[in-house]
Amino acid sequence: MEGGGGAHSSRTAEEVFRDFRGRRAGMIKALTTDVEKFYQLCDPEKENLCLYGLPNETWEVTLPAEEVPPELPEPALGINFARDGMEEKDWLALVAVHSDAWLLAVAFYFGARFGFDKESRRRLFNMINNLPTIFEVVTGTAKKQSKEKTSNSSSKNKPNSKMQSRPVESQTRASKMHSPKGDEDSGADEEEEEEEDHENTLCGACGDNYANDEFWICCDMCERWFHGKCVRITPARAEHIKQYKCPSCSNKRARV
């Protein structure tokens, strides 16, 4: 797909949202789990470079489209020029903000192109607005907002282990083991609070919410949670990790 564009068959708000979600996931990977590779590709010695998110949840750093006007709105030009003149976290946050703006532009370009009416545009915006922005994921704001929502229960309901296999049954058993005998009502309340707490947890790589049947792992450095599949960690492998560091934290230490 040239320049992140190409032919597209989306016709409904839901289809455009799937395209948005795929591109967003790719850009989040570039700025989190693939940040070392992204950093190296954004060489300030090269020409104007852009970060494109693709519908298949991948990303690419390349030159802008040559055709004028372009088939799709173009992302921010020259992201590589600011790389060495800023703190890395500030530079990544800046790229994230521009990436959010580009994703919205592409989504509503499709909306105009496919003749969305007021209701379809509202539905598309609401679906987009239910996801944290790339900026919120990259800067950790999404995690902070999640913690604020569950501030009354997070301290006692967060698992002590850095590893979660996440099935509801095992969570229920663990909760019962720590509940006083004979206090069934209290145990039920805690289980409900725990599930609500987990539902507000966001993956530090893809930004998606917790699901009951997924394996998650927590970084011991930044304390962000990740889908095991997003950071390529299996439950069996996690059993042998004494201190887990996510790709972003590992890369930061390597460059210091």
Side-chain angles (χ1 to χ4, degrees), residues 18-247:
R18 281 197 294 272
D19 178 273
F20 173 94
R21 191 169 55 188
R23 294 176 189 274
R24 171 182 171 276
M27 298 179 99
I28 288 175
K29 285 178 184 176
L31 299 174
T32 55
T33 56
D34 297 345
V35 68
E36 180 69 14
K37 180 181 178 182
F38 172 68
Y39 186 91
Q40 296 300 328
L41 287 173
C42 292
D43 186 348
E45 297 299 319
K46 296 182 180 178
E47 296 182 43
N48 281 308
L49 294 177
C50 302
L51 171 62
Y52 292 90
L54 306 181
N56 63 355
E57 300 188 5
T58 60
W59 58 276
E60 64 176 344
V61 171
T62 187
L63 296 171
E66 294 182 2
E67 62 266 31
V68 178
E71 183 179 357
L72 290 178
E74 285 291 297
L77 297 174
I79 57 172
N80 50 315
F81 296 147
R83 191 195 75 177
D84 292 347
M86 304 174 67
E87 290 286 340
E88 182 181 340
K89 63 183 179 66
D90 295 331
W91 175 66
L92 292 174
L94 179 64
V95 176
V97 167
H98 283 292
S99 299
D100 284 320
W102 178 68
L103 286 175
L104 285 171
V106 171
F108 282 89
Y109 162 82
F110 281 134
R113 177 176 166 184
F114 300 140
F116 284 4
D117 57 17
K118 182 177 179 180
E119 173 58 26
S120 295
R121 292 194 302 272
R122 183 194 64 77
R123 196 164 71 251
L124 174 60
F125 177 78
N126 285 343
M127 288 187 288
I128 291 173
N129 201 41
N130 283 333
L131 293 174
T133 63
I134 296 177
F135 175 81
E136 289 172 337
V137 172
V138 169
T139 61
T141 307
K143 180 185 174 184
K144 290 175 185 175
Q145 291 174 345
S146 175
K147 280 188 174 180
E148 287 172 4
K149 289 179 184 177
T150 58
S151 58
N152 292 330
S153 59
S154 60
S155 60
K156 63 179 178 181
N157 293 323
K158 270 292 182 183
N160 291 327
S161 171
K162 66 183 177 184
M163 184 176 61
Q164 288 183 332
S165 56
R166 293 291 193 178
V168 176
E169 292 171 4
S170 58
Q171 289 173 4
T172 303
R173 284 198 298 271
S175 178
K176 285 182 179 177
M177 285 172 62
H178 290 88
S179 299
K181 291 182 179 179
D183 196 6
E184 296 180 359
D185 292 339
S186 175
D189 290 341
E190 286 186 7
E191 285 166 28
E192 289 177 7
E193 288 175 356
E194 184 174 353
E195 277 200 40
E196 182 182 349
D197 185 26
H198 293 330
E199 286 170 2
N200 287 317
T201 302
L202 301 172
C203 175
C206 69
D208 283 347
N209 292 82
Y210 146 78
N212 286 336
D213 57 349
E214 293 178 312
F215 167 73
W216 283 45
I217 189 167
C218 181
C219 174
D220 288 310
M221 305 301 292
C222 64
E223 296 185 350
R224 287 192 296 173
W225 288 88
F226 298 86
H227 290 111
K229 63 183 180 183
C230 289
V231 290
R232 301 190 177 117
I233 299 291
T234 63
R237 183 180 172 190
E239 290 288 348
H240 302 285
I241 300 175
K242 292 182 179 179
Q243 185 181 57
Y244 174 68
K245 286 183 281 191
C246 68

